[in-house]
Amino acid sequence: MAEKTRTPIIIDTDPGVDDTVAILLAITSPELEILAYIISFGNTDVHAAYDNIYKLYQAIGRHIALHPEDAARFPNFSPIVPPLLVVGPEGPLEGGRHFAQYFHGRDGLSDINERHPELNIDFGSSSFSHNFQPVKESSVEVALRLLESRPDRSITYVVLGPMTNLAQLVRQHRQTVMDKIGRVIAMAGALDVPGNTTSVAEFNVFADPYAAKELLVPTDPTSGLPLDRVVLAPLDITTSHELPFPYYAQKVDPAFKSAAQPSNADGKSPLVHFTSSFFERTREIMLEWGKDALELHDIVAIWCAIENPPEINAVGGLPGMSTGWAVAERTFDIERTGEITRGMFVTDRREENTAYAPGANRAEVQAQLDLRHLGHGLLESTALPARVEVEDPGLDQRQRKGVACLVETPGPSVLLQLLTRRVWGI
Ligand SMILES: *[C@@H]1O[C@H](CO)[C@@H](O)[C@H](O)[C@H]1NC(C)=O
């Protein structure tokens, strides 16, 4: 059988609990060819995040050593074309550094280094380390070299963490990015839903709102990303995609409980022991928040990359998507220095036909309400605001294009099945 062309991808990530699962999905996906991991600060500090790639590869290596029959399930785990591994930014373009260690642990993997020393990196073992290639160049140089080494518009750049490295790449080599990049898929932002780090901000944008703004809300045609090749996966669409922990216990690890009863490696495949060891703490935190599931934010972005390769001959406009997927163009600005709104997406609802109610045009809704003599709530304005001249050329007069935001996927249950089949072989 002829091999289908695989989409070469660069994964820019801050692993991280859900990042690690997302990377597992990428490694087990034959549609992808992982060129590099660019490690960023974010969920934890950049060095702990970097170590987690070793821990992940070690777990896969141990798994395959014990179950060689499973090797084919990991098409991106091979010494033949090892992805590059490079340390990226240690903090945002500007402003203070923020981590999410309360959720991901100081080691980025729910502090398994304390509960599960058997999962610490065994540098003496060579069973896994040939399957990726640590490099000493700067992360911008690595991304540049990879873009230049491949045909125009063939590479998908996936961002699972803060957008700092991509912003630096665009600052330094924008023309190459314009010529060469195939697609950018980024897990970032919250539009019409609450944030997950503050009440208004999603973590990746909160961690570096400067980078996100520079890339997604360019002030002139010579800056920012080629927006016709960008797909954003905001919390609005990712949050409904979950791995329910009871489902994980039922299908993958019947002994799975919580950090109060830590995972025991005996009788488990090394990969299952690895994932259970960090899920057990995530489960406790999620239960405190009233949900017995892992939200699959970054996993949605990788899934999107699997099913939506770059369009080599795109002609501008919104990025084309495969069956079952849809994007909508949204316009917003990004708060960088807000006293309480750092990282917030400030959506401009005046021009949007998605504003006000799903699929509704605000003026039409107003007309319908008037027709039925229905008032709004007490605190709501009953009229469309008059357009006012603004002195700040920011939001209104700047020539601006919206960003394609993911609004539809084939559905949470499809992802759940794909994930459990590919990652755990079930
Ligand atoms: C918030 O969203 C980001 C998406 O990248 C995710 O990595 C992180 O785990 C989420 N945090 C919480 C507390 O859910």
Side-chain angles (χ1 to χ4, degrees):
M1 207 172 72
E3 202 174 302
K4 279 179 60 183
T5 50
R6 296 158 73 193
T7 302
I9 66 167
I10 296 173
I11 304 182
D12 187 336
T13 173
D14 56 338
V17 169
D18 56 324
D19 302 71
T20 300
V21 179
I23 294 168
L24 263 167
L25 178 61
I27 292 175
T28 53
S29 290
E31 300 87 349
L32 302 178
E33 175 194 359
I34 305 172
L35 299 179
Y37 301 109
I38 292 176
I39 306 300
S40 172
F41 83 100
N43 292 323
T44 186
D45 71 88
V46 73
H47 302 289
Y50 183 86
D51 284 353
N52 290 338
I53 298 289
Y54 281 78
K55 291 181 195 166
L56 170 61
Y57 270 69
Q58 175 170 268
I60 300 173
R62 286 177 178 170
H63 180 93
I64 293 176
L66 226 70
H67 302 280
E69 72 280 7
D70 277 357
R73 223 173 67 221
F74 301 87
N76 278 294
F77 185 86
S78 145
I80 299 168
V81 264
L84 307 178
L85 174 64
V86 58
V87 180
E90 298 192 359
L93 291 181
E94 282 181 52
R97 194 182 326 180
H98 295 266
F99 301 130
Q101 294 173 332
Y102 64 96
F103 184 76
H104 295 272
R106 255 163 320 187
D107 69 352
L109 282 178
S110 311
D111 290 327
I112 52 172
N113 57 348
E114 290 166 11
R115 278 193 320 283
H116 298 281
E118 74 279 10
L119 298 174
N120 288 346
I121 309 165
D122 175 7
F123 286 100
S125 157
S126 60
S127 62
F128 63 90
S129 54
H130 301 303
N131 295 301
F132 60 89
Q133 190 189 337
V135 288
K136 289 267 174 269
E137 294 162 80
S138 83
S139 50
V140 167
E141 290 302 315
V142 167
L144 178 72
R145 175 154 68 82
L146 289 171
L147 287 178
E148 284 173 340
S149 72
R150 294 287 175 133
D152 289 359
R153 300 199 179 202
S154 59
I155 292 181
T156 294
Y157 191 110
V158 185
V159 194
L160 307 179
M163 303 179 88
T164 318
N165 187 70
L166 188 54
Q168 285 167 340
L169 176 71
V170 169
R171 273 186 184 182
Q172 295 169 38
H173 305 283
R174 183 160 186 275
Q175 196 52 51
T176 308
V177 173
M178 296 301 285
D179 294 342
K180 302 292 287 187
I181 213 158
R183 189 163 268 196
V184 174
I185 299 175
M187 193 290 131
L191 288 151
D192 304 322
V193 297
N196 77 348
T197 286
T198 68
S199 59
V200 294
E202 179 278 325
F203 178 75
N204 293 336
V205 179
F206 179 80
D208 194 346
Y210 293 86
K213 179 166 165 116
E214 217 169 280
L215 293 171
L216 301 174
V217 197
T219 44
D220 63 73
T222 64
S223 63
L225 284 170
L227 289 180
D228 56 345
R229 283 171 260 161
V230 175
V231 175
L232 220 58
L235 287 180
D236 305 58
I237 185 78
T238 60
T239 304
S240 60
H241 296 76
E242 311 177 333
L243 170 62
F245 287 125
Y247 179 93
Y248 177 81
Q250 190 199 337
K251 301 273 183 188
V252 181
D253 180 1
F256 179 69
K257 296 278 183 329
S258 70
Q261 294 151 275
S263 176
N264 184 334
D266 297 345
K268 285 183 194 173
S269 99
L271 185 59
V272 171
H273 176 52
F274 178 66
T275 51
S276 292
S277 296
F278 59 88
F279 283 173
E280 63 198 15
R281 176 76 188 116
T282 313
R283 183 181 206 183
E284 285 181 346
I285 301 172
M286 290 306 293
L287 279 172
E288 280 166 29
W289 293 344
K291 194 181 208 182
D292 195 8
L294 173 73
E295 294 175 350
L296 301 177
H297 305 293
D298 296 334
I299 293 87
V300 170
I302 292 290
W303 185 29
C304 183
I306 294 170
E307 298 210 352
N308 297 279
E311 308 163 281
I312 311 282
N313 299 311
V315 288
L318 282 183
M321 305 295 284
S322 304
T323 313
W325 296 81
V327 291
E329 185 172 12
R330 297 294 302 266
T331 45
F332 52 82
D333 209 327
I334 298 173
E335 183 77 297
R336 291 171 298 189
T337 58
E339 191 182 352
I340 46 176
T341 53
R342 172 191 169 108
M344 179 180 180
F345 276 22
V346 181
T347 51
D348 189 347
R349 289 159 196 275
R350 291 168 299 185
E351 309 256 323
E352 274 186 356
N353 54 17
T354 51
Y356 206 91
N361 174 295
R362 185 169 181 167
E364 283 165 13
V365 172
Q366 182 67 44
Q368 286 299 316
L369 290 173
D370 288 349
L371 207 66
R372 294 179 171 76
H373 306 287
L374 290 173
H376 289 255
L378 269 181
L379 299 173
E380 244 181 297
S381 153
T382 56
L384 280 173
R387 309 231 38 192
V388 288
E389 285 297 316
V390 283
E391 272 175 56
D392 165 25
L395 217 51
D396 245 13
Q397 283 145 8
R398 184 195 305 140
Q399 270 300 39
R400 209 193 38 188
K401 236 183 101 204
V403 180
C405 295
L406 200 57
V407 292
E408 204 182 304
T409 72
S413 60
V414 180
L415 178 57
L416 184 60
Q417 282 179 25
L418 181 82
L419 185 71
T420 43
R421 178 158 40 83
R422 289 199 170 173
V423 171
W424 295 287
I426 278 135

mmCIF file with all atom_site columns, all heavy atoms in Angstrom, residues 351-363:
data_model
loop_
_atom_site.group_PDB
_atom_site.id
_atom_site.type_symbol
_atom_site.label_atom_id
_atom_site.label_alt_id
_atom_site.label_comp_id
_atom_site.label_asym_id
_atom_site.label_entity_id
_atom_site.label_seq_id
_atom_site.pdbx_PDB_ins_code
_atom_site.Cartn_x
_atom_site.Cartn_y
_atom_site.Cartn_z
_atom_site.occupancy
_atom_site.B_iso_or_equiv
_atom_site.pdbx_formal_charge
_atom_site.auth_seq_id
_atom_site.auth_comp_id
_atom_site.auth_asym_id
_atom_site.auth_atom_id
_atom_site.pdbx_PDB_model_num
ATOM 1  N N   . GLU A 1 351 ? -19.867 44.372 15.056 1.00 0.00 ? 351 GLU A N   1
ATOM 2  C CA  . GLU A 1 351 ? -19.873 44.030 13.626 1.00 0.00 ? 351 GLU A CA  1
ATOM 3  C C   . GLU A 1 351 ? -20.153 42.561 13.374 1.00 0.00 ? 351 GLU A C   1
ATOM 4  O O   . GLU A 1 351 ? -20.221 42.127 12.243 1.00 0.00 ? 351 GLU A O   1
ATOM 5  C CB  . GLU A 1 351 ? -18.488 44.342 13.036 1.00 0.00 ? 351 GLU A CB  1
ATOM 6  C CG  . GLU A 1 351 ? -18.002 45.718 13.350 1.00 0.00 ? 351 GLU A CG  1
ATOM 7  C CD  . GLU A 1 351 ? -18.120 46.625 12.149 1.00 0.00 ? 351 GLU A CD  1
ATOM 8  O OE1 . GLU A 1 351 ? -17.888 46.140 11.045 1.00 0.00 ? 351 GLU A OE1 1
ATOM 9  O OE2 . GLU A 1 351 ? -18.469 47.804 12.333 1.00 0.00 ? 351 GLU A OE2 1
ATOM 10 N N   . GLU A 1 352 ? -20.260 41.805 14.453 1.00 0.00 ? 352 GLU A N   1
ATOM 11 C CA  . GLU A 1 352 ? -20.287 40.360 14.269 1.00 0.00 ? 352 GLU A CA  1
ATOM 12 C C   . GLU A 1 352 ? -21.690 39.838 14.108 1.00 0.00 ? 352 GLU A C   1
ATOM 13 O O   . GLU A 1 352 ? -22.572 40.212 14.862 1.00 0.00 ? 352 GLU A O   1
ATOM 14 C CB  . GLU A 1 352 ? -19.697 39.701 15.507 1.00 0.00 ? 352 GLU A CB  1
ATOM 15 C CG  . GLU A 1 352 ? -18.223 39.584 15.434 1.00 0.00 ? 352 GLU A CG  1
ATOM 16 C CD  . GLU A 1 352 ? -17.696 38.796 16.603 1.00 0.00 ? 352 GLU A CD  1
ATOM 17 O OE1 . GLU A 1 352 ? -18.496 38.420 17.480 1.00 0.00 ? 352 GLU A OE1 1
ATOM 18 O OE2 . GLU A 1 352 ? -16.495 38.560 16.617 1.00 0.00 ? 352 GLU A OE2 1
ATOM 19 N N   . ASN A 1 353 ? -21.875 38.924 13.167 1.00 0.00 ? 353 ASN A N   1
ATOM 20 C CA  . ASN A 1 353 ? -23.211 38.350 13.115 1.00 0.00 ? 353 ASN A CA  1
ATOM 21 C C   . ASN A 1 353 ? -23.345 37.145 14.036 1.00 0.00 ? 353 ASN A C   1
ATOM 22 O O   . ASN A 1 353 ? -24.408 36.579 14.169 1.00 0.00 ? 353 ASN A O   1
ATOM 23 C CB  . ASN A 1 353 ? -23.633 38.003 11.686 1.00 0.00 ? 353 ASN A CB  1
ATOM 24 C CG  . ASN A 1 353 ? -22.620 37.127 11.011 1.00 0.00 ? 353 ASN A CG  1
ATOM 25 O OD1 . ASN A 1 353 ? -21.785 36.541 11.694 1.00 0.00 ? 353 ASN A OD1 1
ATOM 26 N ND2 . ASN A 1 353 ? -22.677 37.032 9.693  1.00 0.00 ? 353 ASN A ND2 1
ATOM 27 N N   . THR A 1 354 ? -22.252 36.772 14.714 1.00 0.00 ? 354 THR A N   1
ATOM 28 C CA  . THR A 1 354 ? -22.387 35.702 15.706 1.00 0.00 ? 354 THR A CA  1
ATOM 29 C C   . THR A 1 354 ? -22.706 36.272 17.084 1.00 0.00 ? 354 THR A C   1
ATOM 30 O O   . THR A 1 354 ? -22.954 35.540 18.009 1.00 0.00 ? 354 THR A O   1
ATOM 31 C CB  . THR A 1 354 ? -21.092 34.889 15.824 1.00 0.00 ? 354 THR A CB  1
ATOM 32 O OG1 . THR A 1 354 ? -20.023 35.803 16.011 1.00 0.00 ? 354 THR A OG1 1
ATOM 33 C CG2 . THR A 1 354 ? -20.861 34.032 14.615 1.00 0.00 ? 354 THR A CG2 1
ATOM 34 N N   . ALA A 1 355 ? -22.645 37.590 17.202 1.00 0.00 ? 355 ALA A N   1
ATOM 35 C CA  . ALA A 1 355 ? -22.816 38.171 18.523 1.00 0.00 ? 355 ALA A CA  1
ATOM 36 C C   . ALA A 1 355 ? -24.267 38.109 18.967 1.00 0.00 ? 355 ALA A C   1
ATOM 37 O O   . ALA A 1 355 ? -25.177 37.899 18.192 1.00 0.00 ? 355 ALA A O   1
ATOM 38 C CB  . ALA A 1 355 ? -22.342 39.620 18.507 1.00 0.00 ? 355 ALA A CB  1
ATOM 39 N N   . TYR A 1 356 ? -24.457 38.332 20.237 1.00 0.00 ? 356 TYR A N   1
ATOM 40 C CA  . TYR A 1 356 ? -25.772 38.458 20.864 1.00 0.00 ? 356 TYR A CA  1
ATOM 41 C C   . TYR A 1 356 ? -26.411 37.112 21.190 1.00 0.00 ? 356 TYR A C   1
ATOM 42 O O   . TYR A 1 356 ? -26.824 36.856 22.287 1.00 0.00 ? 356 TYR A O   1
ATOM 43 C CB  . TYR A 1 356 ? -26.705 39.262 19.977 1.00 0.00 ? 356 TYR A CB  1
ATOM 44 C CG  . TYR A 1 356 ? -27.783 39.951 20.771 1.00 0.00 ? 356 TYR A CG  1
ATOM 45 C CD1 . TYR A 1 356 ? -27.600 41.238 21.261 1.00 0.00 ? 356 TYR A CD1 1
ATOM 46 C CD2 . TYR A 1 356 ? -28.978 39.297 21.044 1.00 0.00 ? 356 TYR A CD2 1
ATOM 47 C CE1 . TYR A 1 356 ? -28.575 41.860 22.009 1.00 0.00 ? 356 TYR A CE1 1
ATOM 48 C CE2 . TYR A 1 356 ? -29.955 39.902 21.796 1.00 0.00 ? 356 TYR A CE2 1
ATOM 49 C CZ  . TYR A 1 356 ? -29.758 41.188 22.275 1.00 0.00 ? 356 TYR A CZ  1
ATOM 50 O OH  . TYR A 1 356 ? -30.698 41.795 23.017 1.00 0.00 ? 356 TYR A OH  1
ATOM 51 N N   . ALA A 1 357 ? -26.549 36.258 20.220 1.00 0.00 ? 357 ALA A N   1
ATOM 52 C CA  . ALA A 1 357 ? -27.060 34.913 20.438 1.00 0.00 ? 357 ALA A CA  1
ATOM 53 C C   . ALA A 1 357 ? -26.419 34.072 19.353 1.00 0.00 ? 357 ALA A C   1
ATOM 54 O O   . ALA A 1 357 ? -26.078 34.596 18.306 1.00 0.00 ? 357 ALA A O   1
ATOM 55 C CB  . ALA A 1 357 ? -28.574 34.882 20.301 1.00 0.00 ? 357 ALA A CB  1
ATOM 56 N N   . PRO A 1 358 ? -26.272 32.772 19.594 1.00 0.00 ? 358 PRO A N   1
ATOM 57 C CA  . PRO A 1 358 ? -25.614 31.958 18.577 1.00 0.00 ? 358 PRO A CA  1
ATOM 58 C C   . PRO A 1 358 ? -26.276 32.135 17.220 1.00 0.00 ? 358 PRO A C   1
ATOM 59 O O   . PRO A 1 358 ? -27.477 31.967 17.090 1.00 0.00 ? 358 PRO A O   1
ATOM 60 C CB  . PRO A 1 358 ? -25.777 30.530 19.102 1.00 0.00 ? 358 PRO A CB  1
ATOM 61 C CG  . PRO A 1 358 ? -25.995 30.685 20.572 1.00 0.00 ? 358 PRO A CG  1
ATOM 62 C CD  . PRO A 1 358 ? -26.693 32.000 20.757 1.00 0.00 ? 358 PRO A CD  1
ATOM 63 N N   . GLY A 1 359 ? -25.534 32.517 16.256 1.00 0.00 ? 359 GLY A N   1
ATOM 64 C CA  . GLY A 1 359 ? -26.042 32.620 14.900 1.00 0.00 ? 359 GLY A CA  1
ATOM 65 C C   . GLY A 1 359 ? -26.915 33.844 14.636 1.00 0.00 ? 359 GLY A C   1
ATOM 66 O O   . GLY A 1 359 ? -27.465 34.006 13.561 1.00 0.00 ? 359 GLY A O   1
ATOM 67 N N   . ALA A 1 360 ? -27.067 34.718 15.628 1.00 0.00 ? 360 ALA A N   1
ATOM 68 C CA  . ALA A 1 360 ? -27.998 35.835 15.449 1.00 0.00 ? 360 ALA A CA  1
ATOM 69 C C   . ALA A 1 360 ? -27.273 37.130 15.135 1.00 0.00 ? 360 ALA A C   1
ATOM 70 O O   . ALA A 1 360 ? -26.160 37.360 15.582 1.00 0.00 ? 360 ALA A O   1
ATOM 71 C CB  . ALA A 1 360 ? -28.841 36.018 16.694 1.00 0.00 ? 360 ALA A CB  1
ATOM 72 N N   . ASN A 1 361 ? -27.921 37.956 14.375 1.00 0.00 ? 361 ASN A N   1
ATOM 73 C CA  . ASN A 1 361 ? -27.444 39.300 14.121 1.00 0.00 ? 361 ASN A CA  1
ATOM 74 C C   . ASN A 1 361 ? -28.127 40.217 15.123 1.00 0.00 ? 361 ASN A C   1
ATOM 75 O O   . ASN A 1 361 ? -29.339 40.177 15.304 1.00 0.00 ? 361 ASN A O   1
ATOM 76 C CB  . ASN A 1 361 ? -27.812 39.688 12.683 1.00 0.00 ? 361 ASN A CB  1
ATOM 77 C CG  . ASN A 1 361 ? -27.480 41.130 12.382 1.00 0.00 ? 361 ASN A CG  1
ATOM 78 O OD1 . ASN A 1 361 ? -28.056 42.044 12.970 1.00 0.00 ? 361 ASN A OD1 1
ATOM 79 N ND2 . ASN A 1 361 ? -26.561 41.322 11.472 1.00 0.00 ? 361 ASN A ND2 1
ATOM 80 N N   . ARG A 1 362 ? -27.348 41.026 15.791 1.00 0.00 ? 362 ARG A N   1
ATOM 81 C CA  . ARG A 1 362 ? -27.897 41.803 16.894 1.00 0.00 ? 362 ARG A CA  1
ATOM 82 C C   . ARG A 1 362 ? -29.059 42.699 16.466 1.00 0.00 ? 362 ARG A C   1
ATOM 83 O O   . ARG A 1 362 ? -30.070 42.802 17.151 1.00 0.00 ? 362 ARG A O   1
ATOM 84 C CB  . ARG A 1 362 ? -26.782 42.652 17.508 1.00 0.00 ? 362 ARG A CB  1
ATOM 85 C CG  . ARG A 1 362 ? -27.257 43.381 18.736 1.00 0.00 ? 362 ARG A CG  1
ATOM 86 C CD  . ARG A 1 362 ? -26.109 43.989 19.491 1.00 0.00 ? 362 ARG A CD  1
ATOM 87 N NE  . ARG A 1 362 ? -26.650 44.653 20.661 1.00 0.00 ? 362 ARG A NE  1
ATOM 88 C CZ  . ARG A 1 362 ? -25.932 45.078 21.670 1.00 0.00 ? 362 ARG A CZ  1
ATOM 89 N NH1 . ARG A 1 362 ? -24.638 44.906 21.656 1.00 0.00 ? 362 ARG A NH1 1
ATOM 90 N NH2 . ARG A 1 362 ? -26.498 45.663 22.681 1.00 0.00 ? 362 ARG A NH2 1
ATOM 91 N N   . ALA A 1 363 ? -28.915 43.320 15.316 1.00 0.00 ? 363 ALA A N   1
ATOM 92 C CA  . ALA A 1 363 ? -29.964 44.221 14.846 1.00 0.00 ? 363 ALA A CA  1
ATOM 93 C C   . ALA A 1 363 ? -31.253 43.447 14.557 1.00 0.00 ? 363 ALA A C   1
ATOM 94 O O   . ALA A 1 363 ? -32.357 43.895 14.873 1.00 0.00 ? 363 ALA A O   1
ATOM 95 C CB  . ALA A 1 363 ? -29.501 44.958 13.595 1.00 0.00 ? 363 ALA A CB  1
#
